[in-house]
């Protein structure tokens, strides 16, 4: 934050966090910023020695849901109106309030916060004194005294739980006063039956009752006195607390028209600014936000009340608002000491001894999010020396990489940080809640998971585990995908069907995360796509919702090589809600070619605009040697290997529309004498030494693709030459056969299609998916092979020659007698160094070159992971990242 402040000071402009959202945080009761109110994070930051962003503020009673989703785009859309004066009549805001409260517009008064209205009313109401129930909001007495009125207190009795006794209050009335009543009252949270207030007002027509309903919207099923309001009652409504925007300053009062008109004449012109008017107009119509708020507050308050009540030495008053009043009944320390100890833990509470009628044993806490409330209880038990009692434990340290887009480099950076943490002595694991990829892997317990998390697990030097990727989505058409949950297929679903199951699936995701986290010190999470995809955010289980559940700060990764990276950062931040923005800890500039110091001006701009720093600039990494997560880079041509120097063999890899597990061929790219080409058309195919048909998630669809493009005929022509080796892996193996049947409608409406007919085998697609880790033997050479099977097909090998078989003797690959055409279900068949060299040497001989006869390249990603870790250390601010994670 200090760096951000200095960045803005260069331009003579306050830092954005302090200018806008600092005020949001500073808004205590009616957002008075003096020391007598809660929410002063600047003072708390100075006292604790912590940045304000690291303090969880229970001292200010702001909506734990945070500002509505529409707030930021609305404000952005209204900035151009700041060139004009605000509407002095608040016309649209007035119409919205009249509709919401079902009153006439001339009964509504708006001000720059409720405090301004309170100070105005005490000056214009014809009264000799004020009667204030105590303890209560301190501005009542302050405004009354400034207006020159005497103040009489009507104490609320502790032995009655601070409940208001209207009969006792009535004994103090003389029909010449203003009476202030909080409904619910602050700091006690107590409410009084609305009917009793109406009756009291009816019996005292000479008294003006100001009923402060600033917190009423937080209370479920509370009847507002706005309904059937007596003529001598003024109702205060604070819009900014409920919508978590006290920095905008917007208060409202509803009373008799003549009083309202007098008040308007005594308020400054343009008291309500343009942005506040726009926000208030929309807020008054947002009923869904109100419902969600009350549900959250009711549940949170009840849990917090129970947990606080279970701590020995605390008395909790059963308020109905979004805060709780608590009294300490221990002689060894008071509320000041409790606050002093808690602020060292990064938690602020409101000591209440400056409320009339309360002493230094009282404090107040706001209801915040479930995780924050749990942290408060844990910390209170710790500082009070009370053993934990069924209190949720703090989440393991974690961090998440999210991207401004797909293929921004999240997977690689996740693997890199995993290896760095491992090298620094942490027991670390990767996690990605949901992965959409056709590039999968089978674990030792025969579960299927994304290949990227397998690489990340290797970076951690741990076995791949389906808990690391509990949801795998494998598209098999433009609209349908196979859904894999915890390694097992759950069937095919379109987007609508999957969405209906999202809530239940997210519960499975959370179980997987918690189970994995229980076994490791640190977790590094990866998001998917972009958190800014507004059409998907509400149903998200992999980006911000997962980050919030894991309590993982987020580093937003952008690919500068594509261009527009800084606009992507700003744009992503602009479409995030406030709680999502709060998850973002900083930015990572990825794939930069050049001198990082040239980016400093851009980084200053980003810091000023977003309040978040750039934490790393990662260089463009060529030929890193790690498998790609999905087919984005493959389709873009990154997978192609250019002509090697000297003698080489030419291998063409067919790019099928539904290609899967293309990383089966990564190992060929490390060989010095192999040119590997990706081909999509007959003209690109040419006359290579070998053609490989890879795996497919829709074999029938890809077979039709080969026919439609002419690749089918071109492959048949190459086969007739007797000079080109044609290989099929998994789906490619099925395509080499005579026919493929789909009687169970796995990929079609039950079709049977002729295949290439290059191998005398036939395949029937079966409902049960075969998932297995495999140890096998290449029969012509005896070479040992290891890999895995993932397929629906059952293949009858017929008269084909056995080519690869499992240890149990089961055939898993076939060939023609001359070995020129062969196929296998074994994914990873080329990963074995000796077999791969034998295969390449065979192609060399056929091309007229001498065989090399020994292994030239070892396919091992360990050196690549160590190189990647070195890059991460050099290009990212690891000290800052470790602090963000809570590791130092």
């Amino acid at each position: 934050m200090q760096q951000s402040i200095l960045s803005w000071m260069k331009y003579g402009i306050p830092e954005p966090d302090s200018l806008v959202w600092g005020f949001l945080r500073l808004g205590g009761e009616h957002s008075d910023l003096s020391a007598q109110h809660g929410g002063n994070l600047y003072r708390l930051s100075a006292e604790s020695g912590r940045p304000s962003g690291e303090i969880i503020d229970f001292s200010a009673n702001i909506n734990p849901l945070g500002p509505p989703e529409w707030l930021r785009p609305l404000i952005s859309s209204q900035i151009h109106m700041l060139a004009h004066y605000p509407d002095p009549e608040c016309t649209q805001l007035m119409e919205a309030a009249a509709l919401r409260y079902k009153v006439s517009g001339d009964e509504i008064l708006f001000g720059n916060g409720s405090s301004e209205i309170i100070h105005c009313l005490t000056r214009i109401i014809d009264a000799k004194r004020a009667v204030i129930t105590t303890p209560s909001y301190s501005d009542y007495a302050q405004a009354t005294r400034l207006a020159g009125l005497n103040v009489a207190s009507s104490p609320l009795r502790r032995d009655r739980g601070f409940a208001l006794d209207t009969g006792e209050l009535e004994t103090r009335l003389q029909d010449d006063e203003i009476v202030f009543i909080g409904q619910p009252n602050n700091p006690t949270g107590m409410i009084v039956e609305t009917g009793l207030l109406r009756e009291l007002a009816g019996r005292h027509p000479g008294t003006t009752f100001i009923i402060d309903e600033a917190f009423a919207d937080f209370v479920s099923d509370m009847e507002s006195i706005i309904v059937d309001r007596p003529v001598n009652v003024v109702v205060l409504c604070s819009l900014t607390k409920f919508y978590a925007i006290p920095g905008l300053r917007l208060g409202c009062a509803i009373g008799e028209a003549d009083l309202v008109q007098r008040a308007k004449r005594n308020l400054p012109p343009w008291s309500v600014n343009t942005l506040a008017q726009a926000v208030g107009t929309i807020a008054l119509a947002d009923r869904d936000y109100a419902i969600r708020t009350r549900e959250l507050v009711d549940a949170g308050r009840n849990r917090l009340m129970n947990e606080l009540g279970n701590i020995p030495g605390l008395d909790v008053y059963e308020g109905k608002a979004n805060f709780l009043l608590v009294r300490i009944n221990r002689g060894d320390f008071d509320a000041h000491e409790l606050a002093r100890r808690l602020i060292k833990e990064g938690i602020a509470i409101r000591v209440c001894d400056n409320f009339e009628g309360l002493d230094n044993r009282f404090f107040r806490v706001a209801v915040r999010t479930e995780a924050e409330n749990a942290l408060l209880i844990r910390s209170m038990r710790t500082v009070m020396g009370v053993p934990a009692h069924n209190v949720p434990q703090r989440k393991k340290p974690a961090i998440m990489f999210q991207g401004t887009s797909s293929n921004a480099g999240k997977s690689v950076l996740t693997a890199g940080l995993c290896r760095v943490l491992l090298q620094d002595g942490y027991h670390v694991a990767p996690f990605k809640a949901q992965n959409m990829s056709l590039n999968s892997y089978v674990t030792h317990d025969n579960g299927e998971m994304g290949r990227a998390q397998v690489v990340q697990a290797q970076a951690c030097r741990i076995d791949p585990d389906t808990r690391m990727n509990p949801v795998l989505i494998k598209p098999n058409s433009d609209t349908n995908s196979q859904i894999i949950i915890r390694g097992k297929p759950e069937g095919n679903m379109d987007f609508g069907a999957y969405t209906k199951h999202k809530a239940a699936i997210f519960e499975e995701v959370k179980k997987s995360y918690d189970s994995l986290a229980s076994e490791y010190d640190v977790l590094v999470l990866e998001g998917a796509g972009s958190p800014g995809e507004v059409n998907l955010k509400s149903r998200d289980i992999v980006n911000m919702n997962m980050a919030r559940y894991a309590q993982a700060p987020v580093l937003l990764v952008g690919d500068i090589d594509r261009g527009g990276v800084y606009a992507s950062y700003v744009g992503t931040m602009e479409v995030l809600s406030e709680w999502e923005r709060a998850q973002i800890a900083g930015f990572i500039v990825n794939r930069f070619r050049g001198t990082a110091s040239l980016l400093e001006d851009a980084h200053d701009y980003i810091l000023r605009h977003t309040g978040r720093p750039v934490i790393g600039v990662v260089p463009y990494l060529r030929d890193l040697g790690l498998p790609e997560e999905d087919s984005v880079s493959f389709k873009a041509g990154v997978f192609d290997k250019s002509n090697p120097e000297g003698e080489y063999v030419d291998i063409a890899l067919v790019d099928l529309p539904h290609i899967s597990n293309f990383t089966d061929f990564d190992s060929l790219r490390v060989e010095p004498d192999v040119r590997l080409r990706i081909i999509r058309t007959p003209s690109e195919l040419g006359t290579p030494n070998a053609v490989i048909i890879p795996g497919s998630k829709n074999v029938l669809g890809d077979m039709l693709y080969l026919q439609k493009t002419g690749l089918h005929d071109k492959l048949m022509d190459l086969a007739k030459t007797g000079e080109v080796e044609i290989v099929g892996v998994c789906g490619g193996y099925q395509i080499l056969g005579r026919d493929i049947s789909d009687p169970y409608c796995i990929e079609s409406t039950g079709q049977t299609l002729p295949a290439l007919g290059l191998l005398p085998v036939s395949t029937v697609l079966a409902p049960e998916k075969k998932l297995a880790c495999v140890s096998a033997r290449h029969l012509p050479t005896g070479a040992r092979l290891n890999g895995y099977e993932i397929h629906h097909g059952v293949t009858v090998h017929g008269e084909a020659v056995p080519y690869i078989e499992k240890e149990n003797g089961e055939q898993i690959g076939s060939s023609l007698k001359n070995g020129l055409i062969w196929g296998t279900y074994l994914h990873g068949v080329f990963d074995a160094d000796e077999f791969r060299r034998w295969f390449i040497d065979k192609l060399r001989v056929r091309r007229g070159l001498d065989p090399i006869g020994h292994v030239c390249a070892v396919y091992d990603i360990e050196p690549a992971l160590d190189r990647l870790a070195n890059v991460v250390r050099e290009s990212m601010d690891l000290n800052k990242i470790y602090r963000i994670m809570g590791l130092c």
Side-chain angles (χ1 to χ4, degrees), residues 363-375:
F363 66 94
R364 190 195 66 204
V365 290
V367 176
R368 294 185 62 94
T369 66
E370 182 178 356
E372 290 168 334
N373 293 341
L375 178 60

Side-chain angles (χ1 to χ4, degrees), residues 329-472:
N329 285 323
R330 283 175 47 168
D332 51 343
F333 61 84
D334 58 12
H336 284 284
E337 179 62 20
L338 177 62
R340 187 184 66 80
R341 296 184 185 186
L342 285 175
I343 198 63
K344 290 182 178 179
E345 301 292 317
I347 292 175
I349 63 173
R350 172 70 158 90
V351 178
C352 293
D353 59 354
N354 69 322
F355 285 92
E356 184 177 344
L358 302 182
D359 59 26
N360 61 3
R361 290 172 292 179
F362 286 88
F363 66 94
R364 190 195 66 204
V365 290
V367 176
R368 294 185 62 94
T369 66
E370 182 178 356
E372 290 168 334
N373 293 341
L375 178 60
L376 170 68
I377 297 300
R378 264 197 317 270
S379 298
M380 286 189 66
R381 284 182 169 272
T382 298
V383 302
M384 295 179 71
V386 178
H389 172 73
N390 295 328
V391 179
Q393 295 301 304
R394 187 190 298 265
K395 296 284 189 181
K396 291 291 182 67
I399 198 159
M400 177 183 264
F401 288 101
Q402 294 184 20
T404 58
S405 66
S406 295
N407 200 37
K410 303 181 295 290
S411 297
V412 169
L413 296 181
T414 299
L417 186 58
C418 282
R419 177 52 62 96
V420 167
L421 286 161
L422 175 75
Q423 292 171 343
D424 288 351
Y426 293 99
H427 193 35
V428 57
F431 182 87
K432 184 169 184 173
Q434 172 187 288
N435 201 342
M436 179 177 284
S437 176
L438 293 176
N439 220 23
S440 59
Y441 174 89
V442 177
T443 62
H444 288 299
D445 59 353
N446 297 332
E448 189 174 1
M449 63 184 287
R451 183 82 182 190
Q453 281 62 61
V454 174
V455 173
Q456 292 161 4
Q458 185 164 345
C460 303
R461 294 203 176 113
I462 56 178
D463 288 334
D465 186 320
T466 57
R467 292 176 298 174
M468 299 170 184
N469 175 212
V471 181
L472 177 61

Side-chain angles (χ1 to χ4, degrees), residues 87 89-99 108 110 239 250-251 272-273 276-282 284:
D87 174 8
E89 302 301 325
C90 302
T91 306
Q92 291 183 323
L93 180 59
M94 193 79 68
E95 292 171 354
L99 184 64
I108 303 172
F110 287 105
L239 299 178
L250 179 60
V272 181
N273 68 69
Q277 290 187 40
V279 170
T281 301
I282 301 302
L284 286 165

Side-chain angles (χ1 to χ4, degrees), residues 150-305:
N150 294 323
V151 178
S153 297
S154 180
L156 303 172
R157 293 174 54 177
R158 183 166 63 86
D159 59 349
R160 293 179 182 173
F162 296 107
L164 173 62
D165 183 335
T166 57
E168 187 172 313
L169 172 62
E170 191 167 14
T171 64
R172 303 175 185 273
L173 304 185
Q174 302 172 7
D175 280 11
D176 62 352
E177 62 272 304
I178 299 172
V179 175
F180 284 95
I181 298 175
Q183 179 73 338
N185 186 42
N186 177 20
T188 66
M190 300 301 174
I191 61 175
V192 62
E193 184 182 336
T194 304
L196 295 176
L197 294 179
R198 289 198 187 95
E199 293 171 4
L200 179 63
R203 291 193 297 270
H204 295 274
T207 298
T208 300
F209 293 85
I210 298 180
I211 309 300
D212 189 350
E213 294 190 355
F215 297 101
D217 284 338
F218 290 104
V219 183
S220 297
D221 302 322
M222 187 190 121
E223 181 188 7
S224 171
I225 201 170
I226 295 174
V227 180
D228 297 327
R229 177 186 55 80
V231 295
N232 57 333
V233 168
V234 180
V235 185
L236 297 177
C237 307
S238 173
L239 299 178
T240 52
K241 280 189 191 63
F242 189 71
Y243 293 94
I245 47 174
L248 276 181
R249 311 308 303 129
L250 179 60
C252 171
I254 297 172
E256 288 301 288
D258 61 339
L259 177 64
V260 167
Q261 295 310 311
R262 277 192 290 136
K264 286 182 178 179
R265 291 193 293 271
N266 281 269
L267 285 176
W270 307 298
S271 181
V272 181
N273 68 69
T274 297
L275 297 182
Q277 290 187 40
V279 170
T281 301
I282 301 302
L284 286 165
D286 191 348
R287 309 315 278 283
D288 177 68
Y289 177 87
I291 292 170
R292 289 188 293 121
T293 291
R294 284 189 283 270
E295 290 174 350
L296 176 66
V297 168
D298 283 348
R301 182 184 60 248
N302 292 336
R303 281 194 298 267
L304 187 58
M305 189 158 40

